[in-house]
Amino acid sequence: MKIIGRISNNIEQLLNLSITGDKNIYLGETNINHMAVSHPSDYLKYKDELPNILSDHDYVGINPKDNSLEYVKEYIVNGEYVKVAVRISSGNRFYARSLYVLNKNRVINFIKKGTLKKT
């Protein structure tokens, strides 16, 4: 398990969060396995970008289905929006859980609705 990011005060305020304790974002072996199995081609393409997406994202939001934090980065060269979902564990730690390319039209709709906020 290693630290690959941190929830900034800016993100905490933007998403109206109140986090006490550890704000680090971790990546463990089970998280890597989940990403590699669930979205193998996206994972292979963007796995090295995980820390960059978490630190230099374009949009953030909260997924209403599971309350995960969504960090989204637009890669202009590829025309792709890549999402890293961060979930809190039962041990009160944040983990990067998913990594995949989003449908561009859905991203545009999420931005218009305010579900994804520009950072």
Side-chain angles (χ1 to χ4, degrees):
M1 176 174 49
K2 66 179 180 177
I3 297 171
I4 60 166
R6 183 169 175 78
I7 298 171
S8 69
N9 291 336
N10 181 44
I11 296 306
E12 192 174 357
Q13 289 173 346
L14 188 61
L15 297 178
N16 199 25
L17 303 171
S18 180
I19 301 171
T20 56
D22 191 359
K23 293 184 183 182
N24 290 321
I25 300 170
Y26 295 88
L27 182 66
E29 211 45 53
T30 57
N31 308 118
I32 292 169
N33 291 338
H34 175 77
M35 292 177 199
V37 169
S38 299
H39 305 280
S41 60
D42 294 343
Y43 177 71
L44 285 174
K45 188 173 183 179
Y46 289 106
K47 67 180 180 175
D48 295 333
E49 288 293 309
L50 267 164
N52 183 41
I53 295 167
L54 293 171
S55 66
D56 190 27
H57 39 76
D58 296 301
Y59 301 94
V60 293
I62 298 175
N63 186 323
K65 292 180 184 174
D66 61 9
N67 286 325
S68 62
L69 304 180
E70 299 179 326
Y71 288 80
V72 177
K73 180 151 185 74
E74 180 181 9
Y75 285 87
I76 307 291
V77 173
N78 302 333
E80 295 179 324
Y81 290 90
V82 181
K83 171 181 153 179
V84 175
V86 175
R87 294 193 190 140
I88 194 160
S89 71
S90 57
N92 238 11
R93 280 192 169 169
F94 292 95
Y95 285 90
R97 180 72 178 139
S98 298
L99 167 75
Y100 54 92
V101 174
L102 294 168
N103 174 291
K104 189 173 186 173
N105 290 330
R106 288 192 72 201
V107 172
I108 292 166
N109 286 336
F110 289 150
I111 294 166
K112 285 180 184 173
K113 283 195 236 177
T115 306
L116 283 176
K117 300 174 187 313
K118 181 86 173 133
T119 56

